[in-house]
Amino acid sequence: MNAQTTLSGKGQVVIPKDVRDALGLVAGQKLDVIKSGNGVLLRPVLAKSGRTAEEIFAHLREIAPKWEGPPVPIEEMDRAIDAMFAARSKDDI
């Protein structure tokens, strides 16, 4: 995924909508700004729970109901996730 943007006079950068959508970035989300070689890397700041990914996935498997229905297309899953985030306020994230 490649996109271009322009640095404003105030040092602000707009991340193009298609990139924000593809990465699930939302207004007000904090980003780490990391110098990388000759460029800059923007990375979403994630909440730190103190648990390993394996512990988190194990917990999700315990609490999530087992799916018994037919396979669900990835596009339908994406729409459901988009709708869930659209319904939440930025304070919930």
Side-chain angles (χ1 to χ4, degrees):
M1 169 180 3
N2 290 330
Q4 287 187 347
T5 189
T6 302
L7 184 66
S8 77
K10 293 183 178 183
Q12 298 169 326
V13 174
V14 173
I15 299 172
K17 183 175 183 343
D18 59 330
V19 174
R20 293 191 317 266
D21 291 346
L23 297 174
L25 300 175
V26 295
Q29 183 168 1
K30 300 231 181 264
L31 301 171
D32 283 327
V33 180
I34 302 161
K35 182 179 179 214
S36 176
N38 292 331
V40 174
L41 170 68
L42 297 176
R43 181 175 58 194
V45 175
L46 303 175
K48 298 190 174 142
S49 68
R51 296 183 290 172
T52 66
E54 291 81 16
E55 291 170 327
I56 293 169
F57 289 134
H59 178 68
L60 290 173
R61 282 190 290 276
E62 289 173 10
I63 65 171
K66 183 166 173 34
W67 178 253
E68 299 290 339
V72 179
I74 191 71
E75 295 82 10
E76 188 175 331
M77 289 184 221
D78 288 342
R79 283 192 299 274
I81 292 167
D82 289 344
M84 177 192 71
F85 278 106
R88 296 174 74 179
S89 72
K90 70 178 181 180
D91 294 333
D92 292 336
I93 298 174

